[in-house]
Amino acid sequence: MEKRVMTVGKRRRGLTVASALLGGVLVLSACSGGDDDSAAGGGDTSQAKADEAAAKKTSEADIKITPKDGSDNASINNSAAVTVSKGTLTEVEMTTADGTAVEGAISADKTSWKPSVQLERSTTYKVAAEAKDSEGRVAHENGSFTTVSPANSFIGNFTPEDGSTVGVGMPVSINFDKAITNKADVQKGITVSSSSGQEVVGHWFNANRIDFRPDDYWQENSTVTLKLALDGVEGADGVYGVQQKTVTFKIGRNQVTYVDAKTKQMKVTQDGKTVKTIPISAGSPDNKTYEGIMVMSEKFKETRMNGATVGFTDDDGKGEYDIKDVPHAIRLTNSGTFVHGNYWGAKSIFGSVNTSHGCVGLSDTKGANDTGTAGYWFYNNSIVGDVVVVQNTGDKTVAPDNGLNGWNLNWADWKAGSAV
């Protein structure tokens, strides 16, 4: 199941949101798939019935995270909060982009949470909340926001994190909190190098974002170093950089997954050799999955997917689906493309029919703890930065700035986006 930005009708209406790893903005997204009675074995279960059944099984607890997912310039004092209606909070975790925990407490009536310390300026925070309804059914919500920075300075929020290990497709992506007009000066203050000796070039997607990558995927088991020497660099008129930082991260094994929407199979390769083949269900004919090279940017053991957040609504304005415990969700685009587990669809759809709203679905079990499912295996054998190549969907190629997907530009076009 999947959702992405729409250009014609509601299929192209998306909602953009923030992500810590992108330091700026990823989408709170949703997508769905389920039975197709013409292709899932001849039953009378329609997509609408499948979505309705899934909704009945999920928690009524409604979690709200503020500031709104994707917000920037949030207050460092009183803006952060988590509340729940029709349920009680059981766990709230708030962390900075590097994983540092923020102290906070759930209220005595277990319906709200707030941090107990002042937040830092110019910092991206991630919030993960869990609640239960009166019947003990669990709901999850995830959000991210960035706090306010001084008006006369700019900061670049970057991914990946210092000390992390990522897949061979992971670019260095920097999102600035101010529009950069002196792009050459700022780019000269950023150096990205690899122990492999690969040439690395920066590409500006817009005034706020620059990504760095080599011609081919990073060499496995290499080390990449990002140096920010931006202190005092004038990025725009009267706006100066403040960062002086060195970041290193490791490249793991070379894992590339190929999704074929025609054969409805996923082939997982390591170092060019197939290690596993998994039956899948991709986007339906009315909601095709993007084609192209996509990079995993986030992983959620369980998350909520609500059609209303990405343009899939009924006549009453509510989401066509709202599943609060989608298992093993891995983000591929800002606009909502995921590889994720699907427990509500008939097992017969996997490998035989494409039924989702655009995501790539794998057979899974409710609760995300069944070690024998395809969704569990793929989630636990994937890391952020791994590559997923989607083929034969009949849809257009994903935009290179929709997520971490600059690999869809050839090397000449990539280099043409450099300011130096």
Side-chain angles (χ1 to χ4, degrees):
M1 347 105 336
E2 143 13 315
K3 176 67 215 113
R4 44 240 168 115
V5 176
M6 323 273 276
T7 57
V8 178
K10 68 181 179 180
R11 180 171 175 253
R12 294 290 185 214
R13 295 196 298 269
L15 178 64
T16 313
V17 299
S19 160
L21 290 186
L22 295 179
V25 200
L26 283 185
V27 179
L28 174 64
S29 56
C31 49
S32 180
D35 300 330
D36 180 276
D37 54 0
S38 65
D44 61 357
T45 304
S46 66
Q47 179 64 51
K49 289 181 179 179
D51 290 338
E52 181 180 3
K56 289 181 179 178
K57 296 177 182 177
T58 58
S59 177
E60 291 184 355
D62 188 11
I63 303 169
K64 181 181 179 181
I65 297 174
T66 55
K68 183 180 179 181
D69 195 11
S71 299
D72 55 13
N73 293 323
S75 169
I76 64 173
N77 295 302
N78 301 311
S79 63
V82 179
T83 59
V84 64
S85 59
K86 298 182 180 180
T88 56
L89 291 171
T90 54
E91 184 177 7
V92 177
E93 291 184 353
M94 184 175 180
T95 60
T96 61
D98 64 4
T100 301
V102 176
E103 295 180 4
I106 295 175
S107 63
D109 63 1
K110 298 183 180 181
T111 61
S112 64
W113 177 95
K114 289 184 70 68
S116 56
V117 295
Q118 185 183 60
L119 305 184
E120 299 292 332
R121 291 190 298 177
S122 305
T123 301
T124 299
Y125 291 92
K126 298 178 72 173
V127 181
E130 178 184 281
K132 290 183 178 180
D133 64 9
S134 59
E135 296 186 20
R137 296 174 297 191
V138 177
H140 298 266
E141 191 75 36
N142 296 278
S144 178
F145 63 91
T146 303
T147 50
V148 66
S149 61
N152 64 339
S153 66
F154 71 89
I155 287 179
N157 297 295
F158 57 84
T159 190
E161 300 170 8
D162 187 27
S164 60
T165 298
V166 296
V168 296
M170 188 70 178
V172 172
S173 185
I174 304 173
N175 283 265
F176 297 103
D177 62 351
K178 302 287 195 309
I180 303 299
T181 56
N182 301 328
K183 291 182 178 179
D185 289 344
V186 171
Q187 188 173 341
K188 289 175 183 176
I190 305 169
T191 303
V192 181
S193 59
S194 172
S195 62
S196 66
Q198 292 172 277
E199 179 187 10
V200 183
V201 175
H203 179 97
W204 289 90
F205 285 113
N206 52 49
N208 294 82
R209 176 180 172 184
I210 183 172
D211 285 14
F212 292 81
R213 70 165 176 89
D215 184 2
D216 297 318
Y217 301 140
W218 299 105
Q219 181 175 310
E220 60 271 22
N221 302 317
S222 58
T223 299
V224 179
T225 301
L226 162 66
K227 292 184 178 180
L228 298 173
L230 297 174
D231 190 23
V233 175
E234 190 171 22
D237 187 21
V239 180
Y240 297 88
V242 295
Q243 289 169 295
Q244 199 76 22
K245 189 177 185 64
T246 298
V247 173
T248 61
F249 59 94
K250 299 287 187 181
I251 304 299
R253 74 284 180 273
N254 184 322
Q255 179 165 305
V256 180
T257 296
Y258 297 88
V259 173
D260 190 329
K262 185 175 181 180
T263 64
K264 303 166 189 67
Q265 299 291 320
M266 168 191 285
K267 182 174 69 174
V268 184
T269 70
Q270 290 186 358
D271 298 322
K273 297 179 180 179
T274 300
V275 296
K276 196 172 185 66
T277 300
I278 301 172
I280 59 96
S281 181
S284 69
D286 291 334
N287 300 290
K288 299 182 180 75
T289 306
Y290 283 135
E291 293 189 358
I293 303 169
M294 305 184 207
V295 175
M296 298 179 185
S297 59
E298 288 185 295
K299 294 176 64 184
F300 301 107
K301 182 180 178 182
E302 291 180 282
T303 195
R304 177 184 180 185
M305 291 188 175
N306 183 356
T309 66
V310 287
F312 283 121
T313 57
D314 295 322
D315 293 339
D316 60 4
K318 295 183 179 180
E320 292 181 8
Y321 53 87
D322 187 0
I323 303 175
K324 299 180 181 179
D325 57 352
V326 176
H328 299 128
I330 304 175
R331 184 187 293 280
L332 301 181
T333 71
N334 289 0
S335 61
T337 312
F338 280 79
V339 176
H340 64 77
N342 177 333
Y343 66 78
W344 51 92
K347 300 303 181 185
S348 58
I349 67 173
F350 303 103
S352 64
V353 61
N354 293 322
T355 62
S356 83
H357 282 75
C359 289
V360 177
L362 311 179
S363 180
D364 212 326
T365 301
K366 186 178 177 70
N369 292 315
D370 187 345
T371 60
T373 66
Y376 184 99
W377 184 93
F378 188 68
Y379 183 90
N380 282 278
N381 284 276
S382 298
I383 59 176
V384 168
D386 280 350
V387 177
V388 177
V389 183
V390 181
Q391 303 167 317
N392 299 321
T393 70
D395 201 13
K396 66 181 181 181
T397 300
V398 64
D401 62 345
N402 187 358
L404 302 175
N405 299 326
W407 300 101
N408 293 286
L409 289 175
N410 63 43
W411 189 231
D413 290 339
W414 182 265
K415 295 174 74 173
S418 173
V420 298

